[in-house]
Amino acid sequence: MTAASDRDADDEDEDETTPAAAFSRLANDTRVEILRALGDSGERDPRQMPYKPFDTDEPEGLSYAELRARADVADSGRFNYHLGQLVDHFIEKSGDTYRLSWLGVLAFRFVIAGVLHDQVTVDPFETDSLCGACETPLEACYPSEQLFFLQCPDCGSRPVGIDLPAHAVRNRSHEELLRVVDRRERGQISLLSDGICYWCAGRVEAAVHPSPASRAGVQRTQPTVTLLCQDCGGVRFPTVGTVVATDPRIVAFLVNHADDCDRFVWEWPFTTAPDSVTVASTDPLRVRVDVEGDDGAQLRVVVDDSGTITTVDSR
């Protein structure tokens, strides 16, 4: 294959500032391999990384010959053409060496995460966590589209539904996977609750829905909080209790009053149990969450209609 046959007609005409231009520069297996070759060459040693990490000396990068050998491209014309499409965008050239730009680092991490191209599934498995509504063991599943769910097979409640890159499930035990989901859930809800989008860093608005979902007269979940990004449309619907659990004051309380403060966020009764949450008033809307430590200490937390904690009282 010649360099000319690899060339995309849009490469030269595409507006350099458009998302399409950025994606088109990576729309080739050879370019992705060049990106991987640079990203992998540091072997995760901060001193050898082929880009400039924060607070480190300038990296040396790879020479042309080293980069071509690592990318394993025999045709020099093809390699030169595709390397040229990446330089000044995802790759920086300094003298005779090459290294990833910061955007190149982000693209490399995107490839490693497998966000757009990997389809991995995990068969449903039972967990040791109990449903807050009916105390049935929760079931975890990772069916497709890189979404992870934790749900009750009996009553249908779903305490967790979160995006998870395919790379996260590889070579991990079920317990390790649940730990990853727990930490990602905490971090995502904490950031969104602070009004910052987890995905695009845009502005997030929150609204509390006081009526929990129900079926056949049985309450399935707590009131939820809609956390919606006004820019990219990213959205989560955590329970009021889960939002409360990410507040530093509640975290500090649990550290001091729980036997095991490192349990998964969905294992705290106040994050999932219907009887831990009460709609204290409707005009204005105020939702009360009762948090109890293992030693009997209690907190009464009040949340307003925007998902903001207005009161934290010890009882």
Side-chain angles (χ1 to χ4, degrees):
M1 182 181 292
T2 66
S5 65
D6 272 348
R7 191 183 307 272
D8 190 314
D10 291 335
D11 278 345
E12 297 179 357
D13 300 330
E14 187 73 63
D15 183 346
E16 298 293 336
T17 63
T18 66
F23 277 108
S24 70
R25 291 191 178 278
L26 294 176
N28 181 279
D29 288 343
T30 300
R31 299 178 198 180
V32 173
E33 286 308 310
I34 293 172
L35 199 73
R36 277 183 175 273
L38 275 175
D40 284 334
S41 64
E43 299 178 348
R44 308 301 181 267
D45 182 348
R47 295 164 298 179
Q48 304 298 325
M49 285 183 179
Y51 60 88
K52 188 174 182 179
F54 300 117
D55 302 323
T56 67
D57 296 331
E58 192 79 9
E60 294 183 359
L62 296 180
S63 68
Y64 173 90
E66 290 173 322
L67 179 55
R68 183 179 164 192
R70 287 177 179 271
D72 194 22
V73 182
D75 187 320
S76 61
R78 182 160 66 94
F79 178 77
N80 291 340
Y81 170 69
H82 289 299
L83 178 61
Q85 291 299 309
L86 296 174
V87 170
D88 295 331
H89 298 278
F90 296 102
I91 292 176
E92 296 175 348
K93 185 176 186 295
S94 178
D96 296 327
T97 61
Y98 299 85
R99 58 174 175 262
L100 294 178
S101 66
W102 180 244
L103 290 180
V105 173
L106 296 179
F108 169 71
R109 291 172 178 169
F110 204 68
V111 170
I112 294 299
V115 174
L116 293 181
H117 61 279
D118 276 355
Q119 291 299 322
V120 179
T121 61
V122 175
D123 292 334
F125 61 92
E126 185 177 289
T127 74
D128 295 331
S129 305
L130 300 181
C131 173
C134 69
E135 297 189 352
T136 299
L138 293 171
E139 183 179 84
C141 64
Y142 189 74
S144 63
E145 296 186 347
Q146 304 193 17
L147 297 173
F148 178 94
F149 299 106
L150 195 64
Q151 55 199 15
C152 177
D154 284 356
C155 74
S157 66
R158 180 179 285 175
V160 176
I162 190 171
D163 59 293
L164 193 67
H167 192 64
V169 306
R170 289 196 179 92
N171 302 316
R172 280 194 167 110
S173 66
H174 289 166
E175 185 69 15
E176 290 171 333
L177 177 57
L178 291 174
R179 180 64 59 187
V180 170
V181 171
D182 171 69
R183 294 303 190 262
R184 189 173 177 87
E185 174 83 348
R186 292 173 186 268
Q188 196 174 98
I189 298 304
S190 177
L191 196 63
L192 291 168
S193 298
D194 281 342
I196 303 170
C197 180
Y198 178 85
W199 301 280
C200 79
R203 298 158 297 176
V204 173
E205 290 187 3
V208 175
H209 302 278
S211 300
S214 62
R215 184 172 60 202
V218 178
Q219 183 167 278
R220 299 303 187 189
T221 185
Q222 296 179 0
T224 57
V225 182
T226 297
L227 299 169
L228 174 63
C229 177
Q230 302 302 296
D231 298 319
C232 76
V235 64
R236 288 294 311 275
F237 305 99
T239 63
V240 173
T242 299
V243 171
V244 166
T246 65
D247 185 274
R249 292 167 291 182
I250 281 68
V251 172
F253 171 83
L254 295 174
V255 168
N256 291 321
H257 298 284
D259 297 332
D260 176 18
C261 62
D262 197 37
R263 69 191 73 172
F264 299 140
V265 66
W266 54 83
E267 293 183 333
W268 296 104
F270 70 91
T271 65
T272 57
D275 57 5
S276 293
V277 176
T278 304
V279 177
S281 68
T282 57
D283 188 18
L285 178 63
R286 295 292 184 268
V287 177
R288 190 185 75 226
V289 180
D290 295 321
V291 181
E292 184 170 351
D294 295 327
D295 60 359
Q298 296 179 327
L299 283 182
R300 176 159 289 180
V301 183
V302 178
V303 180
D304 67 13
D305 59 352
S306 69
T308 301
I309 294 177
T310 61
T311 307
V312 178
D313 289 332
S314 58
R315 298 176 61 205

